[in-house]
Amino acid sequence: MSIRIEKRNSQELNVIILNNQNYRIAQKLRRIKGSRWYVNKHHWSIPYSDESLRKLIELFPNKIILVDQSIEMLYKPENKDLLTKIYLTQINGLLKEMNNRLELKGYSTKTRKSYLGHITRLTIHYQSHPIELSQEKIQKYLLHLINEEKKSNSYVNQAISAIKFLYQEVFNKSKPILNLPRPKKERKLPDILSKEEVLQILNSVNNEKHKAILYLVYSAGLRVSEVVRLRISDIDSKRMLIHIRQGKGKKDRYVILSKVALDTLRLYAKKYRPEYWIFPGGKEGSHITERSVQKIFERAREKVGIQKKASVHTLRHSFATHLLESGIDIRHIQELLGHKNLKTTEIYTHVSIESNIQSPLDKLFK
């Protein structure tokens, strides 16, 4: 079902229900103050006001709303958010279809969310359905991201990937979109914490659960998305390994299990008794969220007064760098971090489970 809105006169808007008409729809429309049903025309009318339109969108949040350009009030600056909401109703189905295609092709939840966000922002920027956009307009939008919004090259590259996926996989168009130029990939060096700073942060945490999370992240160089999804069965205390399942790029790998981290994990488990997820979340059957872990780290960093621009991911960077500084071969570090390309690791470096490597966390406590 979709809804078309046309200007009837200076006082009224016609509301035409397409492909459907039933009692429930009528009941909803009656909730708009001043609405009327025209029997001979088989359509409704609502007052010509932004208040009526906002109520209509509120009552039909998942329906496509098509508006006639003769409705001048929609194009006033103060009603920009209203027009945006109307255009977003027009791409709800498109976003669902795109999400389904992404899921079928094995894209992660995080990537799917990012891609859909890029298409939504493109729609809002032009207030037009993406299929109506020319390559010239898309290029102007990308330049807007770079020059006006000052977005990073990696952000713009992801926007291009999202747009290309939409046009090639959903619209079945390719030639013009394939010619979109990509900005050069940036080579930024990550912020690194010294061993002393890492120790300060770890020692500042008193909560057993929070402490176990940060110990595992640093001791094995885990991504935050990996530590939150650890299951009890992933810890192999006999072989001193952690099984990372379907990490970035849908790859499994094993990483080292630090003795110090294992002892901390056992203290936590003895008190909290986790049953499936090592770190369960607030909702039954769920794991702790990535944002919760990020907040744990942020509070610890602020508590010890470290001014560096560091996040929980900085512990992963620091893990790799400290191993490299200890003389561990870069290819071993690449394996531990789960990097497909050695060039990615060359920014700092990673470790191999095949080598007899001791976690840098253990060395801190000797």
Side-chain angles (χ1 to χ4, degrees), residues 1 22 38 143 149 152 167 238 263 275 297 326-328:
M1 185 198 98
N22 60 42
Y38 286 88
L143 288 171
E149 296 194 20
S152 67
Y167 279 79
K238 290 183 179 178
D263 291 342
E275 296 179 357
F297 178 85
S326 301
I328 304 303

Side-chain angles (χ1 to χ4, degrees), residues 115-140:
Y115 275 30
L116 296 177
H118 283 299
I119 301 306
T120 299
R121 287 185 287 275
L122 174 65
T123 301
I124 291 172
H125 180 77
Y126 281 117
Q127 296 192 337
S128 179
H129 195 286
I131 202 168
E132 298 172 357
L133 300 178
S134 64
Q135 184 179 3
E136 182 183 4
K137 278 195 169 184
I138 292 172
Q139 286 184 339
K140 283 183 178 179

Side-chain angles (χ1 to χ4, degrees), residues 150-162:
K150 307 297 181 185
K151 297 296 185 183
S152 67
N153 287 6
S154 59
Y155 180 95
V156 176
N157 270 318
Q158 190 181 57
I160 292 172
S161 296

Side-chain angles (χ1 to χ4, degrees), residues 117-347:
H118 283 299
I119 301 306
T120 299
R121 287 185 287 275
L122 174 65
T123 301
I124 291 172
H125 180 77
Y126 281 117
Q127 296 192 337
S128 179
H129 195 286
I131 202 168
E132 298 172 357
L133 300 178
S134 64
Q135 184 179 3
E136 182 183 4
K137 278 195 169 184
I138 292 172
Q139 286 184 339
K140 283 183 178 179
Y141 172 70
L142 296 174
L143 288 171
H144 167 78
L145 292 180
I146 295 169
N147 298 324
E148 305 299 323
E149 296 194 20
K150 307 297 181 185
K151 297 296 185 183
S152 67
N153 287 6
S154 59
Y155 180 95
V156 176
N157 270 318
Q158 190 181 57
I160 292 172
S161 296
I163 293 167
K164 282 190 172 183
F165 186 95
L166 174 68
Y167 279 79
Q168 292 170 212
E169 301 294 335
V170 182
F171 294 156
N172 292 319
K173 293 185 177 183
S174 59
K175 282 188 178 180
I177 306 305
L178 285 174
N179 295 328
L180 286 176
R182 288 182 179 271
K184 188 176 180 180
K185 194 172 182 180
E186 299 158 317
R187 292 285 287 181
K188 290 184 179 179
L189 292 177
D191 288 305
I192 303 297
L193 295 168
S194 69
K195 293 178 181 179
E196 293 73 23
E197 287 171 327
V198 171
L199 188 57
Q200 272 185 292
I201 288 172
L202 297 180
N203 284 340
S204 73
V205 181
N206 297 318
N207 181 284
E208 288 90 346
K209 182 177 182 178
H210 298 173
K211 187 184 286 284
I213 290 170
L214 296 186
Y215 273 42
L216 281 173
V217 171
Y218 174 68
S219 69
L222 302 183
R223 299 180 178 94
V224 65
S225 60
E226 294 168 345
V227 73
V228 299
R229 290 171 175 81
L230 284 177
R231 297 177 286 187
I232 291 173
S233 58
D234 295 333
I235 304 298
D236 188 342
S237 57
K238 290 183 179 178
R239 297 172 63 208
M240 294 301 285
L241 296 173
I242 303 172
H243 189 181
I244 305 300
R245 301 176 189 273
Q246 298 294 285
K248 190 174 181 180
K250 299 288 183 182
K251 294 180 294 184
D252 281 18
R253 75 182 191 279
Y254 281 97
V255 296
I256 52 177
L257 174 60
S258 152
K259 183 181 181 303
V260 173
L262 178 60
D263 291 342
T264 305
L265 192 58
R266 282 172 170 162
L267 287 173
Y268 152 72
K270 187 177 180 180
K271 181 176 180 179
Y272 286 83
R273 302 288 182 184
E275 296 179 357
Y276 181 76
W277 300 111
I278 293 181
F279 304 112
K283 294 181 181 178
E284 187 176 354
S286 68
H287 56 69
I288 191 171
T289 65
E290 294 179 24
R291 184 63 193 132
S292 294
V293 174
Q294 290 162 354
K295 286 181 178 178
I296 291 167
F297 178 85
E298 288 166 9
R299 285 195 294 268
R301 178 180 58 78
E302 290 171 2
K303 186 177 179 180
V304 297
I306 291 174
Q307 300 299 314
K308 287 180 182 177
K309 190 180 178 181
S311 66
V312 67
H313 197 70
T314 306
L315 291 178
R316 176 174 159 89
H317 292 318
S318 302
F319 162 85
T321 303
H322 297 164
L323 286 174
L324 187 61
E325 290 171 349
S326 301
I328 304 303
D329 186 86
I330 190 170
R331 293 190 181 275
H332 295 329
I333 300 174
Q334 177 191 1
E335 292 293 327
L336 284 179
L337 292 182
H339 285 170
K340 183 179 180 181
N341 196 319
L342 185 62
K343 285 184 179 180
T344 308
T345 317
E346 285 174 351
I347 296 176

